[in-house]
Amino acid sequence: MTTRRQALGLLAAAALLPFAPRLAFSAAPFSAVANAGYYRFRFGRFEVTALSDGTLALPMANIYQNEPVDELQRRLDDNFLGKETHLSINAYLVNDGERLALIDAGSGALLGAAAGKLMRHLTASGYRADQVDAVILTHVHADHSGGLTSDGKLQFPNAVVHLADREYRYWIEREGVTAMTEAQKTDFQRAHDALAPYVAAGKVKRFADNADVLPGLGSILRAGHTPGHSSIVLDAGDGERLVFWGDIIHGDHVQFDAPDVFVSFDVDGTAAAATRSVALSDAADGRYLVAGAHLPFPGVGHVARDETLYRFVPWNYVE
C-alpha cells in the first residue's frame, strides 16, 4: 500500500517533470536496403516467382492511341497516374522441380536506371542466372529481350531461348519488312544484339503457333503487338491455368475499359486491339489467373466483367 508520504513524493516528482532535462534520441537513418523485387507463390506443383525489372516512366496519354489525348489523360488522372505513368516491367520464373524457365528477360541496360533490375532481383530471390535452363520470350521488344545479353555476352549461359517462329522471322530474318523509321531501326538492332550470341551458340529454338514450348508450358498466339507475340500458358492440371500475357495490356486501367485503345509501339495497333478484346473475354470467362508484363508488380490477378466492361482484380496476397 502506498503511504501518504510516498504519494506526496510522487506528486512532487511529477510536478518537476516539465523542468527535467529532455532525453535526445537520434532519428533512424533512411534504409539503404533496396526493395526485394520478387514475389513467390506456388501454383499446383510449380513454384512461380514474379521478378521486377523495374519501371518505365512514360507519357501514356500520348502513347495510347485511338482516343483524344485529353480524354486519355483524364482517365489517367482519375486513377492518380499523372502525366508520367510508371509502367511495371515484369518477368516470371517457373520452377517445375526439374527445369527453371524464365518468361521474358527484362530490359538490361537499354531503358535507364529505373529499369534493368531483373538480374539483381533474380539473385535476391535465391537463384542464379546460370541455373536458368530456358528463357521463353513472349516477344522480342527491348523490355523483354534486352536482358538476354550484356556487352555481347550471354547473361544466361546455360539457357536455350524459346520464341515464336513468326517472331524470329520478323525480327531476325526481317520477313515482310520494307522501309523503317529511325525508331524501328533501333528496335531491330536491339533485337539482333539481344539474340545474336544465342543464335551463334545454337541456343535458340522456335515454336509454332499455339504450340507447346516445354512440358507444362504451352503458348497462345496473340499477334498484333508484334507479329509473333504469344502468351505462355502454365497448366497446373484440374483446369487450373496461369496465362503469362506478355503485352496484352499496358497498365491496369485504360485498356480494360477501352480495349480498342492501342499503343504507339504496337506493330499493328488494329490487330493488337482485336487480340486484346479476345484475351480479356477469354480470361473473364475462363476465370483463370493472368500475369501481365506491364500490370503493377507483381502483375498477377484475374479479369472480371463490371459495369464499364472489364477490371483487373489483383490476386489476394498469399504468403
Side-chain angles (χ1 to χ4, degrees):
M1 178 181 292
T2 303
T3 65
R4 182 171 180 275
R5 178 176 294 179
Q6 289 171 325
L8 290 172
L10 290 170
L11 289 171
L16 292 172
L17 279 176
F19 303 100
R22 296 183 180 274
L23 295 175
F25 294 97
S26 60
F30 291 124
S31 174
V33 178
N35 292 328
Y38 71 93
Y39 174 63
R40 178 169 292 135
F41 58 95
R42 294 300 295 265
F43 188 72
R45 66 183 180 88
F46 301 95
E47 174 199 84
V48 180
T49 306
L51 295 168
S52 172
D53 188 57
T55 61
L56 189 59
L58 295 170
M60 290 306 297
N62 298 105
I63 289 171
Y64 287 134
Q65 307 291 303
N66 214 24
E67 277 196 14
V69 172
D70 290 348
E71 171 59 21
L72 290 163
Q73 189 60 59
R74 182 195 64 77
R75 292 185 187 218
L76 293 168
D77 290 341
D78 286 349
N79 289 286
F80 307 99
L81 293 171
K83 294 186 182 300
E84 289 285 316
T85 303
H86 282 261
L87 284 187
S88 292
I89 305 172
N90 306 325
Y92 299 92
L93 192 67
V94 177
N95 190 342
D96 66 2
E98 297 179 3
R99 181 185 295 103
L100 200 58
L102 178 65
I103 299 169
D104 289 331
S107 60
L110 298 179
L111 299 180
K117 300 175 181 178
L118 184 138
M119 297 300 286
R120 185 177 83 198
H121 294 155
L122 175 66
T123 301
S125 78
Y127 288 108
R128 303 186 313 272
D130 62 3
Q131 292 177 299
V132 175
D133 301 294
V135 179
I136 304 171
L137 299 180
T138 59
H139 62 296
V140 188
H141 275 156
D143 51 329
H144 299 258
S145 66
L148 285 173
T149 60
S150 178
D151 296 324
K153 296 179 181 178
L154 308 183
Q155 286 286 77
F156 303 96
N158 298 316
V160 172
V161 176
H162 300 257
L163 76 162
D165 181 58
R166 288 172 183 257
E167 196 72 353
Y168 187 94
R169 296 200 318 263
Y170 180 75
W171 290 106
I172 303 304
E173 297 177 348
R174 304 196 180 187
E175 182 179 281
V177 178
T178 53
M180 289 187 285
T181 65
E182 289 304 311
Q184 288 171 326
K185 289 177 183 177
T186 298
D187 287 344
F188 276 92
Q189 187 61 52
R190 286 174 167 176
H192 171 272
D193 293 346
L195 285 168
Y198 294 88
V199 173
K203 289 178 171 285
V204 173
K205 289 189 70 172
R206 306 185 228 179
F207 55 86
D209 298 353
N210 305 308
D212 289 342
V213 183
L214 292 169
L217 287 165
S219 69
I220 308 170
L221 177 64
R222 299 288 199 197
H225 182 60
T226 64
H229 178 271
S230 298
S231 294
I232 305 303
V233 183
L234 180 63
D235 188 348
D238 297 325
E240 293 295 315
R241 289 190 299 160
L242 169 56
V243 179
F244 301 97
W245 256 357
D247 282 14
I248 293 293
I249 287 279
H250 292 80
D252 58 336
H253 293 290
V254 172
Q255 291 175 305
F256 280 92
D257 285 337
D260 57 333
V261 169
F262 56 91
V263 292
S264 57
F265 32 83
D266 286 331
V267 172
D268 184 336
T270 301
T275 288
R276 182 164 32 260
S277 293
V278 171
L280 287 168
S281 177
D282 191 56
D285 291 343
R287 299 181 63 83
Y288 52 73
L289 277 174
V290 300
H294 300 301
L295 290 169
F297 183 77
V300 180
H302 290 91
V303 177
R305 285 187 169 83
D306 63 12
E307 65 279 0
T308 56
L309 199 55
Y310 298 103
R311 62 190 172 96
F312 177 63
V313 184
W315 201 23
N316 193 42
Y317 178 79
V318 180
E319 182 59 68

